[in-house]
Amino acid sequence: MTIQTDTFAEYVIVEYRWLIVIVALLPISLLWKVWSTFRNWLVFKLNSAPRMHDKKVKDVQRQVKEWLAGDRNTRLCTARPTWQTMSFRHGLYKKTSTNISVNLVDVLEVDTKNMTVRCEPLVTMGQLSRTLEPLGLALAVVPELDQLTVGGLVMGTGVETSSHIHGLFQHICLQYELVMADGSVITCSKDERADLFYAVPWSYGTLGFLTSVVIKVVPAKKYVRLQYESYTNLPELAARFSKESLSKEPHQFVEALLFTKDTGVVMTGDMVDEIGMDGKLNSIGKWYTEWFYKQVERHLKRYTAGDRQPVVEYIPLRDYYHRHTRSLFWELQDIVPFGNNIIFRVLFGWLMPPEVSLLKLTQPKTVTKLYDRAHIIQDMLVPIDRLEKAVLKFHEEFEVYPIWLCPFKVLNQPGQLRVKSGDWQMFVDIGVYGVPKAKGYETVASTRRIESFVVQNDGFQMLYADTYTTLEEFRQMFDHTLYDKVRDSLPFCKEAFPEIYGKVNRTVRK
Ligand SMILES: Cc1cc2nc3c(=O)[nH]c(=O)nc-3n(C[C@H](O)[C@H](O)[C@H](O)COP(=O)(O)OP(=O)(O)OC[C@H]3O[C@@H](n4cnc5c(N)ncnc54)[C@H](O)[C@@H]3O)c2cc1C
Ligand SMILES: NC(=O)C1=CN([C@@H]2O[C@H](COP(=O)(O)OP(=O)(O)OC[C@H]3O[C@@H](n4cnc5c(N)ncnc54)[C@H](OP(=O)(O)O)[C@@H]3O)[C@@H](O)[C@H]2O)C=CC1
Ligand SMILES: CC(C)=CCC[C@@H](C)[C@H]1CC[C@H]2C3=C(CC[C@]12C)[C@@]1(C)CC[C@H](O)C[C@@H]1CC3
């Protein structure tokens, strides 16, 4: 893909970004990983986290109270710099708001009796899966990129291949502790301040500052027995995917990757303790192994070449959970084009991936322009019965492959997500990340058409990426009834925080 660049320096930056990544970002990423692992280990060894928690919460309260005592002519947001976050863009509101430091990074307690873990909001998925694995436990839903934080996943949303059983990240959260705009600390759960509890997910930090969360854990086993089934026909693939997702005795994990409009691989998995006779061990997390989605594509190629048997593999559990981390799904291929080359993997694979935060921090303007014009990153969530129709629409507007398909259940609970009827409704996350090849693709116009398709089909958009909807459309997509009621009832809330739309729409993110 070529892009008009203004200067020779810009041309070099775009075409040879991999040089910057290899020479600077990978070594810095390594130092960062070593430091944070050491820091976490030390904190845990000294067992200071639980003791320090109340003190750290008091510090958040102090900052909010200082704002309260002042003239209150600014809004509040967390002080986490936006280059550090997984949200795709930089939030401009951070520059004009009072930044509250919520520097809470520790796992506080694993309760094996009640099968819960209590953690602070900056705990990452990587940190949590490392903590729980030696105890034979796992979160019921583990969003797959290591650097995603508990706070971001609660205030935004989180989805994974076990979500067809357990629901979204919000559905495995049992209790939130928050510092509110009036400086008080409150906890909420389905039995205590239920309105607030149900309004918190998808609220993007516009109700209060999250300081801890109690999350449900499940027993874990050593491996995932993963079965790959290839398809060369979309209706058949969609039917199989939906059947697996809706099954009364479902596999623990369901996922599919589409490599073209008509071809793809459906993967179903279950945790096991032993490697069976029907497949081999595949440690996909090792630095020298091929990127996961490339391995999946090879299964499809084998199938189209005539080998029609489904393939079974045994994948170590943590490797499975973080299977898309090493290649940032398939985004790294555009940044380090030879990243999956065997020689590169053997020599430097252990340094990969570069920290997303460093990629964001060092992203030159020219690359931002390129992403604005010729790159799409979107996750659209539609009822599973619209899967086929939606894939065809995505093909027409974007033509980006692979496409990520992940089923998830939305429980019929109060809050921003509407469900047609019954106790729950099955949805599918359709993730498109890459360079669109569709004729006539135009970022804003094409995304707007997809957004209205999603609204018309009773779906939602994930908000870590770009949303171009108007406020009216946004309120049509997400039910604000409970959210508005809660904001009205909380002292100083409307003064302290903008509405969700004010934090996520494209005009406030660059
Ligand atoms: C209640 C609880 C809370 C925890 N909180 C955190 C946390 O906030 N942050 C965090 O990083 N880790 C925490 N841990 C430890 C966690 O279990 C991981 O073992 C640790 O993060 C290192 O895992 P690793 O696989 O990266 O490295 P490993 O190779 O397993 O270990 C690296 C180093 O960590 C030490 N270590 C490993 N497991 C433990 C353990 N269970 N307890 C003490 N030291 C250990 C080892 O001595 C070794 O030197 C917690 C564990 C529990 C039970
Ligand atoms: N598999 C998946 O489910 C994936 C999910 N994502 C998305 O990525 C985002 C998570 O990224 P991450 O870097 O962890 O989070 P971010 O730092 O991007 O935070 C996301 C939002 O949550 C708010 N928030 C975070 N922590 C707190 C807190 N302690 N108190 C109040 N508000 C808070 C932030 O508020 P503020 O603006 O004030 O900082 C921000 O609006 C989510 O939106 C998620 O949906 C991305 C990839 C994969
Ligand atoms: C599974 C779900 C629901 C979402 C996956 C989303 C990811 C593919 C994106 C989340 C953050 C994105 C960023 C980039 C690529 C796509 C994500 C990993 C970049 C690394 C692309 C290059 C830019 O320079 C920086 C971006 C940071 C965020």
Side-chain angles (χ1 to χ4, degrees):
M1 163 112 247
T2 51
I3 181 169
Q4 211 63 39
T5 47
D6 299 334
T7 62
F8 178 68
E10 282 189 346
Y11 169 81
V12 172
I13 287 166
V14 171
E15 295 297 322
Y16 296 95
R17 195 176 180 197
W18 58 267
L19 250 176
I20 303 169
V21 170
I22 287 169
V23 174
L25 299 198
L26 287 181
I28 301 173
S29 296
L30 179 69
L31 291 178
W32 173 253
K33 276 173 206 157
V34 170
W35 157 248
S36 52
T37 305
F38 173 72
R39 191 250 166 228
N40 278 339
W41 172 81
L42 194 68
V43 166
F44 181 67
K45 272 275 184 222
L46 298 175
N47 194 26
S48 65
R51 260 189 299 120
M52 295 295 286
H53 179 73
D54 290 348
K55 211 171 145 208
K56 289 189 273 181
V57 173
K58 284 207 169 74
D59 189 52
V60 178
Q61 287 181 278
R62 178 194 55 78
Q63 297 172 66
V64 174
K65 283 177 182 164
E66 268 174 28
W67 170 85
L68 263 178
D71 53 18
R72 302 201 289 266
N73 58 7
T74 55
R75 296 271 173 92
L76 302 179
C77 67
T78 78
R80 190 177 190 216
T82 53
W83 61 268
Q84 279 181 15
T85 72
M86 291 297 284
S87 298
F88 178 48
R89 304 276 180 181
H90 297 264
L92 293 175
Y93 56 86
K94 293 253 165 174
K95 290 189 190 149
T96 52
S97 306
T98 297
N99 286 207
I100 304 293
S101 169
V102 190
N103 195 17
L104 300 166
V105 297
D106 297 300
V107 178
L108 297 173
E109 188 191 1
V110 180
D111 181 343
T112 47
K113 202 164 136 244
N114 291 313
M115 293 297 274
T116 59
V117 56
R118 179 165 170 249
C119 32
E120 295 182 331
L122 283 180
V123 166
T124 64
M125 286 302 104
Q127 185 183 345
L128 207 40
S129 60
R130 268 199 305 279
T131 303
L132 295 174
E133 191 187 38
L135 305 172
L137 301 171
L139 283 190
V141 174
V142 186
E144 58 292 291
L145 299 174
D146 282 20
Q147 294 145 359
L148 290 163
T149 65
V150 166
L153 292 164
V154 167
M155 291 290 176
T157 193
V159 62
E160 225 324 84
T161 52
S162 56
S163 288
H164 62 300
I165 299 176
H166 301 286
L168 293 169
F169 198 78
Q170 70 201 60
H171 298 121
I172 63 162
C173 292
L174 305 175
Q175 188 191 70
Y176 306 124
E177 175 192 61
L178 299 128
V179 171
M180 310 308 290
D182 63 358
S184 61
V185 185
I186 59 178
T187 55
C188 59
S189 66
K190 71 177 175 42
D191 306 314
E192 181 194 15
R193 300 187 183 91
D195 276 358
L196 177 62
F197 177 73
Y198 289 119
V200 162
W202 296 82
S203 67
Y204 285 81
T206 62
L207 295 176
F209 293 103
L210 192 66
T211 48
S212 78
V213 187
V214 176
I215 314 173
K216 178 177 149 189
V217 296
V218 292
K221 294 184 179 167
K222 275 175 147 167
Y223 306 102
V224 172
R225 177 192 180 276
L226 195 65
Q227 176 156 320
Y228 305 83
E229 287 168 44
S230 299
Y231 289 86
T232 50
N233 171 308
L234 179 61
E236 279 175 25
L237 184 149
R240 176 83 179 109
F241 181 81
S242 307
K243 188 169 167 234
E244 279 301 336
S245 310
L246 291 160
S247 163
K248 288 221 165 69
E249 287 174 18
H251 286 286
Q252 282 172 296
F253 306 102
V254 178
E255 174 180 30
L257 295 186
L258 297 184
F259 292 93
T260 66
K261 178 167 69 62
D262 304 305
T263 63
V265 180
V266 175
M267 289 162 272
T268 50
D270 292 290
M271 286 190 207
V272 292
D273 270 327
E274 306 284 335
I275 296 177
M277 302 295 281
D278 53 349
K280 285 192 188 135
L281 173 67
N282 183 0
S283 301
I284 56 172
K286 292 266 192 283
W287 78 95
Y288 49 80
T289 55
E290 208 179 353
W291 286 345
F292 180 66
Y293 77 95
K294 284 284 177 194
Q295 298 197 24
V296 179
E297 192 176 23
R298 260 193 307 105
H299 294 304
L300 175 65
K301 284 185 180 152
R302 195 178 298 136
Y303 178 86
T304 48
D307 182 354
R308 303 264 146 159
Q309 284 306 307
V311 176
V312 171
E313 282 178 347
Y314 288 82
I315 299 179
L317 183 66
R318 264 196 100 238
D319 289 12
Y320 176 80
Y321 280 140
H322 301 296
R323 69 202 171 285
H324 294 301
T325 295
R326 281 199 307 131
S327 52
L328 298 178
F329 284 78
W330 26 97
E331 283 287 343
L332 216 48
Q333 70 181 354
D334 290 337
I335 301 169
V336 185
F338 45 82
N340 194 41
N341 176 286
I342 175 76
I343 300 170
F344 182 84
R345 276 189 269 126
V346 170
L347 294 178
F348 301 111
W350 55 280
L351 282 169
M352 295 285 258
E355 291 280 319
V356 165
S357 50
L358 292 179
L359 284 170
K360 269 179 91 175
L361 182 65
T362 58
Q363 178 170 297
K365 274 204 179 94
T366 316
V367 173
T368 308
K369 264 199 279 176
L370 173 74
Y371 274 82
D372 274 348
R373 212 165 79 197
H375 203 101
I376 188 85
I377 295 175
Q378 283 291 346
D379 280 85
M380 297 294 182
L381 318 175
V382 295
I384 202 161
D385 55 3
R386 324 283 154 88
L387 170 58
E388 214 183 308
K389 186 174 159 193
V391 168
L392 295 176
K393 182 71 182 164
F394 274 65
H395 180 81
E396 183 190 320
E397 295 292 352
F398 298 147
E399 203 181 332
V400 168
Y401 295 96
I403 285 182
W404 189 59
L405 298 180
C406 176
F408 66 95
K409 192 182 258 182
V410 175
L411 306 184
N412 196 354
Q413 292 177 341
Q416 276 89 308
L417 303 187
R418 257 185 308 254
V419 157
K420 278 274 167 251
S421 60
D423 292 342
W424 53 267
Q425 190 180 347
M426 194 62 74
F427 280 70
V428 56
D429 179 341
I430 306 180
V432 282
Y433 326 114
V435 178
K437 297 198 179 57
K439 259 207 190 122
Y441 169 81
E442 210 268 290
T443 306
V444 181
S446 308
T447 311
R448 294 280 286 131
R449 283 196 291 273
I450 288 286
E451 285 169 347
S452 50
F453 171 87
V454 169
V455 173
Q456 279 158 24
N457 283 280
D458 309 316
F460 321 99
Q461 179 174 30
M462 269 177 92
L463 301 171
Y464 72 89
D466 293 331
T467 175
Y468 296 93
T469 50
T470 61
L471 175 59
E472 205 184 14
E473 289 162 342
F474 187 76
R475 281 183 158 262
Q476 206 183 329
M477 192 182 270
F478 296 99
D479 188 342
H480 279 53
T481 318
L482 178 72
Y483 174 75
D484 288 343
K485 182 179 152 204
V486 170
R487 269 170 69 87
D488 283 341
S489 71
L490 292 171
F492 303 106
C493 181
K494 286 167 118 177
E495 234 180 292
F497 303 110
E499 273 197 28
I500 306 169
Y501 184 76
K503 279 182 108 171
V504 300
N505 82 82
R506 182 65 169 89
T507 60
V508 301
R509 287 175 164 192
K510 280 284 173 276

